[in-house]
Amino acid sequence: MARRLLSIWFPRLASDTSLRRRPLEGPFALIHRSGNTDHVHCLNIAAERHGLRRGMAQADAHAICPSLIIRPADLARETATLAALCRWAGRYSPMVAVDGADGLIADVTGVPHLFGGDAELRDDLHAKLEHAGLGVVSAIAETRGAAHALARHGGGAVPEGELMAAIGRLPVSALRIDSKTGEALSRMGLIRISDLAAQPRAPLARRFGSGLVRRLDQALGMQPEPVAPAAELPHFGVRITLPEPIGLQADVMAGLSRLLERLCGKLACHHMGARRLRLVLHRVDRETAHVEIGLARAMRDPERIAALFAKGVDEVEAGFGIDAMRLSAHITEPLPPEQMGAGPNLRHEDALADLFSRLGNRLGFDHVLRLLPARSKIPERSFLLAPAAYSEAEAPPRRQGPERPIIIFPPEPVMTAAFHQSTTPPARFRWRRMQFTTLRVTGPERIAPEWWFDDPAWRSGLRDYWKVETCEGPRLWLFCTPQVSNWFAQGEFA
């Protein structure tokens, strides 16, 4: 049985996708910023009729067609659309792969007769895609290279044994070679594939490299080029359709519990944990309500996750009732099997993660912070602030030297007697409008500024830090700058 390859090309994939969501009439283009200039990324048929083309500057496009309507290009959505079309094309073949940024390639060997032949298969494909509002050109040939070339030059189906006659008339640029090589071949008079196929392979390889010869031989079937679809990532989503509409929070939470059991089971099979989950509630009036939560750490415990949904579900307006629910984990992380507990058996780190999750969903995960140790002797730089959900707790490094206070604050001036000019702590001083008498002192600990940082607070030079116990009770961390003998408080011991 001869091999049959189906190439599907979407010449206006990005613009067709955008117009499906927000239709409009007249010339239309998507704009993408590259470097410092906005360029035309994709356009519709009406814009092409005005002489616009891909890659031209936006200013030139508006000069040619003042009525042009533009929107910003969304490359991520374009990629997702092509991936969805790749999955949809599985109805024609189990072997479907993405072919460039706007095409698909499918191995349909043994399939066309199920539709009545090559022409009927292409007619069925075109009818469905055009009904969905997507422009498409397709071709069927014995090789992947030939099908790709034909799809981008009018399409069609090549009968068995007539490969050279079908693609020989096409320009050499149809062989998926770079534009520089194509221009060089044209200057030599090798304009069509038939001109190139008649040349000896060795001189072509020496002059243009092995890539040109490989593409030519692949198109003619002299070298194999299999269709290798990318491994499909698992989709962590479940849904349920209800026999009767529901509206009570208890009923929605009961349905959510069933969905979570199924979803967490799927996550466990792939050794994954959820970090963000989205619950979509479909109402009878065809409106939808969304409840989304984040997790401070990867998790797949249904009971603990359900508790985080309770507040969002309580705020949902059910309308005339909810008849379908869909739950998906759209952000996941690897999570190996581990012992999990709930209630009294909940581990300390799990309870802390649940607290971070509750606070993060209310305040935002970037606003729930933790302190992390930093390798610096400067008090202000001895710690870092990091989001608790995206960092791990770290034990402070073991210090060699005097004790440091638990509470550190920006330096605050300490008032001393006018005659006190010593570098040892004063016997009496005033701080925060309170009078203190020194009982016992420990120190000093001399800290030098870090010369690689230009910190205005440390431009005065060295600091001598003292632990000062007062008769009034507070134990303070005072320092002075020997250069000017000024005293400041910067911390308090517990």
Side-chain angles (χ1 to χ4, degrees):
M1 180 181 295
R3 193 177 181 213
R4 305 298 285 169
L5 279 299
L6 169 65
S7 178
I8 309 171
W9 180 45
F10 303 95
R12 295 172 297 275
L13 177 63
S15 60
D16 288 345
T17 302
S18 180
L19 291 174
R20 283 188 65 197
R21 299 174 62 89
R22 295 164 56 193
L24 54 82
E25 299 293 336
F28 167 78
L30 293 175
I31 303 299
H32 177 62
R33 189 168 188 81
S34 177
N36 295 323
T37 309
D38 291 329
H39 296 275
V40 174
H41 175 68
C42 191
L43 32 77
N44 65 353
I45 296 177
E48 291 177 350
R49 290 172 180 167
H50 281 76
L52 305 186
R53 65 183 187 279
R54 288 192 179 195
M56 69 187 312
Q58 177 186 346
D60 296 338
H62 271 299
I64 296 172
C65 180
S67 61
L68 180 68
I69 302 174
I70 64 170
R71 293 176 189 166
D74 189 341
L75 302 185
R77 178 176 294 172
E78 185 178 349
T79 302
T81 301
L82 190 61
L85 289 170
C86 186
R87 293 191 296 269
W88 172 84
R91 72 186 307 273
Y92 298 100
S93 170
M95 301 293 290
V96 185
V98 173
D99 189 15
D102 55 3
L104 303 173
I105 188 73
D107 189 338
V108 293
T109 303
V111 175
H113 75 279
L114 301 176
F115 293 84
D118 292 342
E120 288 76 9
L121 187 150
R122 293 179 60 241
D123 290 343
D124 182 81
L125 173 75
H126 287 216
K128 287 180 168 54
L129 291 174
E130 289 170 2
H131 179 72
L134 299 176
V136 61
V137 183
S138 67
I140 299 179
E142 299 174 33
T143 66
R144 177 173 180 172
H148 177 96
L150 284 169
R152 282 143 184 86
H153 291 81
V158 181
E160 184 177 349
E162 299 182 15
L163 185 62
M164 188 60 202
I167 68 171
R169 57 182 175 80
L170 301 180
V172 292
S173 59
L175 291 175
R176 295 173 291 169
I177 59 177
D178 59 271
S179 58
K180 185 178 179 181
T181 302
E183 292 173 0
L185 290 169
S186 298
R187 288 195 299 268
M188 295 178 60
L190 302 176
I191 299 174
R192 303 184 182 279
I193 294 178
S194 58
D195 301 332
L196 191 63
Q199 302 299 316
R201 298 294 191 269
L204 288 176
R206 285 195 300 269
R207 176 65 177 83
F208 301 101
S210 59
L212 172 63
V213 176
R214 183 178 68 255
R215 288 301 191 191
L216 177 60
D217 289 341
Q218 287 173 343
L220 298 177
M222 298 178 184
Q223 282 193 24
E225 188 179 9
V227 175
E232 187 173 350
L233 298 177
H235 173 65
F236 298 110
V238 292
R239 62 174 297 156
I240 184 174
T241 302
L242 305 172
E244 294 290 340
I246 60 175
L248 297 178
Q249 181 195 18
D251 295 336
V252 176
M253 292 300 296
L256 175 63
S257 298
R258 292 190 179 186
L259 292 176
L260 280 170
E261 290 287 347
R262 292 163 51 193
L263 178 63
C264 292
K266 186 180 292 188
L267 289 168
C269 290
H270 292 84
H271 293 180
M272 300 293 287
R275 283 299 298 266
R276 292 199 71 85
L277 298 100
R278 181 183 296 119
L279 174 65
V280 181
L281 304 174
H282 296 268
R283 302 190 333 195
V284 175
D285 57 2
R286 298 192 177 182
E287 295 292 330
T288 59
H290 300 258
V291 181
E292 185 167 337
I293 65 165
L295 302 174
R297 55 172 292 190
M299 189 190 306
R300 54 171 180 263
D301 187 335
E303 185 176 345
R304 292 162 58 198
I305 295 175
L308 299 174
F309 272 105
K311 180 178 182 295
V313 170
D314 186 45
E315 297 174 352
V316 168
E317 177 59 47
F320 293 102
I322 297 168
D323 59 0
M325 303 169 61
R326 185 172 72 248
L327 178 67
S328 61
H330 53 282
I331 298 180
T332 58
E333 290 181 3
L335 180 63
E338 60 179 357
Q339 182 68 34
M340 295 185 296
N345 299 321
L346 192 65
R347 299 180 305 176
H348 171 72
E349 56 267 29
D350 293 337
L352 191 61
D354 289 351
L355 173 62
F356 291 154
S357 297
R358 289 194 297 271
L359 294 175
N361 284 295
R362 288 176 177 266
L363 307 176
F365 283 93
D366 292 334
H367 295 94
V368 183
L369 307 175
R370 63 156 45 105
L371 295 174
L372 298 178
R375 295 185 177 276
S376 176
K377 296 184 180 298
I378 303 298
E380 299 93 326
R381 301 197 192 103
S382 61
F383 62 91
L384 299 173
L385 287 174
Y390 311 118
S391 60
E392 296 291 338
E394 297 181 21
R398 182 174 298 178
R399 291 190 68 257
Q400 299 293 334
E403 180 186 5
R404 287 282 181 91
I406 295 178
I407 302 173
I408 295 179
F409 42 80
E412 300 176 358
V414 170
M415 307 302 295
T416 62
F419 59 83
H420 182 83
Q421 299 294 329
S422 173
T423 57
T424 58
R428 292 181 177 83
F429 58 92
R430 187 175 181 83
W431 173 64
R432 291 184 178 178
R433 301 182 179 181
M434 295 182 290
Q435 191 74 29
F436 293 95
T437 302
T438 300
L439 177 64
R440 186 181 297 107
V441 299
T442 305
E445 177 189 1
R446 174 161 289 186
I447 300 178
E450 297 173 335
W451 56 266
W452 53 93
F453 289 114
D454 184 17
D455 189 344
W458 282 80
R459 289 176 182 171
S460 58
L462 300 173
R463 292 181 182 179
D464 287 338
Y465 282 85
W466 297 79
K467 178 181 178 182
V468 178
E469 300 182 30
T470 64
C471 296
E472 290 75 14
R475 299 188 301 161
L476 304 177
W477 203 38
L478 306 184
F479 75 85
C480 75
T481 54
Q483 295 82 356
V484 293
S485 299
N486 290 335
W487 285 89
F488 298 86
Q490 197 177 356
E492 187 173 359
F493 293 87

